[in-house]
C-alpha cells in the first residue's frame, strides 16, 4: 500500500494512517496522503485499461492495504456521455455528463461507501453511524451489510422515501428526525458519545476515506478523455466531498505527471434555498456561515453548514472556479428539457448543474468551444416527484 499518513490542511498536523481517525484536533477534516513518486514507478496510465472497469483499478491510489478487506459491488467506471442536442441549445457544443446514476445504490455515494467501509473494516470497525440526506445512508447501509458491519443511519423525515427503504432492506438501524441533516448530525453525535467507542463516526468528512472513494470520479473523467483534463467541471455541492475529492485527484494526477499543469475550473452549484458556499465565495470569505431555513427540491444539496467549507472554497479559488446558486423552478425545467433532448432523466442535483452551465455560458464565464463536464450524481428514478404527470390525459 502506498498510503503514508493523514494530514490536516488547516494546521499541518500529521496522523498515523494505521489508527482510526476522525477530525484533526483543530476540528478540520483530514486528508489521506500517498507516496506518489513510488506510485509513478509502480504503475503507468497504460496499465489501467487492462484492469476491471471499477474504481479499484486505481488501487495504488486508494487506502486499502489487504484486498481481502475490499468491499465491492462493482462500483465506478460510470459513462461519460456526450450531450450534443442539449449542449448546442445552450451554446456548449462540447458538453458531457458523467452519469453516476448507474452506480450501485443509484448514486455517487457508493464510491465513498465502498472505500470508506473497506478501510473501516480493515481497521477493525464493527459498527458505523452517520447522518445523511438519503443517498449516503443507502450506500453506507448497503456496503456495511456486505462487509458484515452494523450501521446506524439517521436521516431527515423529508428525505426520499426510497432511501429509507434501502436502509431498512440492508438491515440498518434507521432513525428519522423531523428537521435537516444538521439535526440528524446532532443525534448521531449523541449516539456516538454514549457508545463508549463501539460506534465509529462515518459522517461526511469526519473520517478521511469516503473522500478517497469520491476522488475516483476525477481519475475516471481524465482517463475517459484520454488522459486529458476538461476545461470546466460542474458539481452539485452540499457537503462538498465530491468536489473536494475531484480537486484532490487532479492535483495527484498532476504530481504523478499523468496530466499537464493546466487544471479544470471547478464550479460548485447550490440552490437559492440553501447556498452557504455561494454566499461565502461571493463575499471572499474562507468559511461559510450556516444557512437559515434551508430548503430545495434538490434535497441532496440541502446542507446548511458543510463541515468541509474551507476545503470547498479553497478548491474553487485555486482552480479559478466559481460558485452558482440556481432556483428550483429552473432546476425542474432543465431536468425536463434535458430528458426530452438527450433521453436521460437526471436527479435534481444533476439538473441544477445544467442550469448553472446554461447561466455561465450565457454570461460568458464558460467560453465558446470549452469542454465542460457536468456530474449527474444520482439516478433520476430515485426522485419520481420531480416530473409532474398530473396533466397527462386519460384515454378512454
Amino acid at each position: 500500500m502506498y498510503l503514508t499518513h493523514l494530514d490536516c490542511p488547516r494546521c499541518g498536523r500529521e496522523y498515523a494512517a494505521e489508527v482510526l481517525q476522525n477530525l484533526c484536533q483543530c476540528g478540520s477534516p483530514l486528508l489521506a496522503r500517498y507516496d506518489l513518486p513510488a506510485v509513478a514507478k509502480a504503475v503507468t496510465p497504460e496499465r489501467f485499461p487492462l484492469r476491471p472497469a471499477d474504481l479499484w483499478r486505481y488501487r495504488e491510489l486508494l487506502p486499502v492495504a489487504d484486498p481481502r478487506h475490499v468491499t465491492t459491488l462493482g462500483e465506478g467506471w460510470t459513462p461519460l456521455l456526450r450531450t450534443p442536442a442539449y449542449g448546442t441549445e445552450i451554446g456548449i457544443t462540447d458538453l458531457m455528463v458523467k452519469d453516476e446514476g448507474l452506480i450501485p445504490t443509484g448514486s455517487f455515494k457508493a464510491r465513498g461507501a465502498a472505500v470508506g467501509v473497506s478501510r473501516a473494516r480493515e481497521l477493525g470497525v464493527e459498527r458505523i453511524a452517520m447522518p445523511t440526506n438519503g443517498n449516503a445512508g443507502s450506500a453506507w447501509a448497503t456496503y456495511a451489510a456486505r462487509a458484515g458491519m452494523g450501521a446506524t443511519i439517521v436521516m431527515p423525515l423529508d428525505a426520499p422515501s426510497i432511501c429509507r427503504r434501502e436502509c431498512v432492506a440492508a438491515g440498518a438501524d434507521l432513525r428519522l428526525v423531523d428537521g435537516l441533516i444538521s439535526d440528524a448530525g446532532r443525534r448521531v453525535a449523541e449516539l456516538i458519545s454514549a457508545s463508549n467507542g463501539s460506534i465509529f463516526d462515518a459522517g461526511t468528512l469526519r473520517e478521511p476515506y469516503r473522500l478517497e472513494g469520491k476522488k475516483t470520479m476525477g481519475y475516471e473523467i481524465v482517463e475517459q478523455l484520454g488522459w486529458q483534463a476538461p476545461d470546466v467541471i460542474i458539481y452539485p455541492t452540499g457537503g462538498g466531498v465530491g468536489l473536494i475529492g475531484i480537486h484532490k485527484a487532479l492535483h495527484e494526477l498532476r504530481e504523478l505527471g499523468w496530466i499537464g499543469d493546466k487544471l479544470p475550473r471547478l464550479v460548485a452549484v447550490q440552490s437559492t434555498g440553501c447556498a452557504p458556499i455561494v454566499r461565502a465565495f461571493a463575499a471572499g470569505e474562507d468559511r461559510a456561515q450556516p444557512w437559515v431555513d434551508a430548503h430545495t427540491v434538490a434535497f441532496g444539496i440541502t446542507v446548511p453548514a458543510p463541515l468541509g467549507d474551507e476545503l470547498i472554497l479553497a478548491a474553487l479559488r485555486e482552480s479559478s472556479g466559481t460558485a452558482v446558486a440556481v432556483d428550483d423552478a429552473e432546476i425542474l425545467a432543465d431536468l425536463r428539457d434535458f430528458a426530452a433532448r438527450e433521453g436521460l432523466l437526471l436527479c435534481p442535483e444533476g439538473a441544477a448543474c445544467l442550469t448553472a452551465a446554461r447561466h455561465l455560458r450565457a454570461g460568458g464565464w464558460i467560453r465558446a468551444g470549452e469542454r465542460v463536464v457536468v456530474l449527474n450524481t444520482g439516478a433520476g428514478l430515485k426522485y419520481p416527484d420531480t416530473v409532474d404527470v398530473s396533466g397527462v390525459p386519460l384515454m378512454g
Side-chain angles (χ1 to χ4, degrees):
M1 182 171 69
Y2 296 90
L3 176 68
T4 57
H5 64 283
L6 304 170
D7 72 24
C8 175
R10 182 189 295 168
C11 73
R13 283 190 182 91
E14 294 189 0
Y15 294 82
E18 295 76 25
V19 179
L20 278 172
Q21 306 286 357
N22 283 120
L23 301 177
C24 177
Q25 294 176 28
C26 73
S28 171
L30 297 174
L31 299 177
R33 300 302 185 187
Y34 300 82
D35 184 349
L36 294 179
V39 172
K41 291 179 182 178
V43 66
T44 61
E46 291 75 21
R47 294 273 298 278
F48 295 118
L50 305 176
R51 296 180 175 181
D54 60 33
L55 64 80
W56 298 100
R57 69 202 278 124
Y58 307 113
R59 56 182 175 267
E60 290 86 358
L61 292 154
L62 292 173
V64 182
D66 188 340
R68 291 176 300 176
H69 295 298
V70 169
T71 304
T72 182
L73 290 165
E75 58 287 335
W77 204 247
T78 54
L80 185 61
L81 304 171
R82 296 190 178 278
T83 58
Y86 185 84
T88 299
E89 179 186 329
I90 67 171
I92 304 175
T93 55
D94 199 358
L95 177 68
M96 286 173 279
V97 170
K98 182 140 178 81
D99 186 14
E100 293 290 291
L102 297 180
I103 212 164
T105 74
S107 86
F108 78 118
K109 303 289 188 178
R111 293 181 186 267
V115 176
V117 166
S118 296
R119 184 59 173 161
R121 181 184 183 185
E122 186 165 58
L123 294 176
V125 172
E126 296 183 355
R127 175 172 287 275
I128 59 98
M130 62 185 300
T132 175
N133 269 330
N135 278 319
S138 303
W140 281 75
T142 299
Y143 281 84
R146 190 157 177 83
M149 188 184 298
T152 298
I153 309 296
V154 185
M155 69 173 66
L157 188 61
D158 291 337
S161 63
I162 183 60
C163 297
R164 277 181 262 164
R165 298 173 192 276
E166 287 176 289
C167 291
V168 171
D173 171 21
L174 175 65
R175 307 189 186 191
L176 302 176
V177 297
D178 188 7
L180 300 172
I181 191 171
S182 50
D183 301 299
R186 284 188 284 273
R187 293 295 299 275
V188 168
E190 293 168 2
L191 291 169
I192 290 172
S193 178
S195 74
N196 294 318
S198 64
I199 302 177
F200 181 65
D201 189 347
T204 301
L205 291 173
R206 292 185 179 277
E207 59 80 45
Y209 301 114
R210 178 195 299 214
L211 178 67
E212 296 303 287
K214 301 282 186 68
K215 78 178 182 184
T216 59
M217 290 184 288
Y219 294 155
E220 288 181 20
I221 289 169
V222 168
E223 184 179 355
Q224 288 169 324
L225 292 176
W227 299 100
Q228 298 291 319
D231 296 296
V232 177
I233 296 177
I234 304 180
Y235 200 87
T237 304
V241 183
L243 186 141
I244 298 164
I246 289 172
H247 182 249
K248 184 174 187 284
L250 292 166
H251 279 266
E252 289 173 350
L253 288 166
R254 185 168 65 179
E255 189 170 340
L256 286 162
W258 295 352
I259 61 173
D261 289 337
K262 185 182 177 183
L263 299 183
R265 309 194 306 279
L266 301 178
V267 180
V269 181
Q270 299 195 302
S271 164
T272 53
C274 183
I277 294 298
V278 175
R279 182 172 61 189
F281 183 84
E285 297 171 350
D286 295 328
R287 302 296 305 269
Q289 298 302 311
W291 192 271
V292 178
D293 191 27
H295 62 279
T296 170
V297 68
F299 201 75
I301 55 176
T302 315
V303 181
L307 178 63
D309 55 349
E310 288 175 285
L311 295 174
I312 298 167
L313 291 163
L316 297 179
R317 293 187 176 116
E318 288 173 15
S319 69
S320 300
T322 191
V324 179
V326 296
D327 69 53
D328 283 2
E330 287 190 289
I331 290 172
L332 295 176
D334 283 320
L335 184 150
R336 288 282 300 274
D337 194 19
F338 183 83
R341 282 160 177 74
E342 299 291 351
L344 177 61
L345 179 61
L346 304 180
C347 66
E349 296 82 9
C353 292
L354 292 178
T355 305
R358 181 165 55 78
H359 284 302
L360 290 171
R361 177 67 188 106
W365 191 89
I366 293 175
R367 297 180 287 273
E370 288 196 304
R371 175 171 283 176
V372 177
V373 173
V374 160
L375 272 295
N376 177 48
T377 49
L381 292 176
K382 297 189 83 167
Y383 303 85
D385 292 339
T386 58
V387 179
D388 182 10
V389 295
S390 59
V392 176
L394 175 64
M395 301 297 290

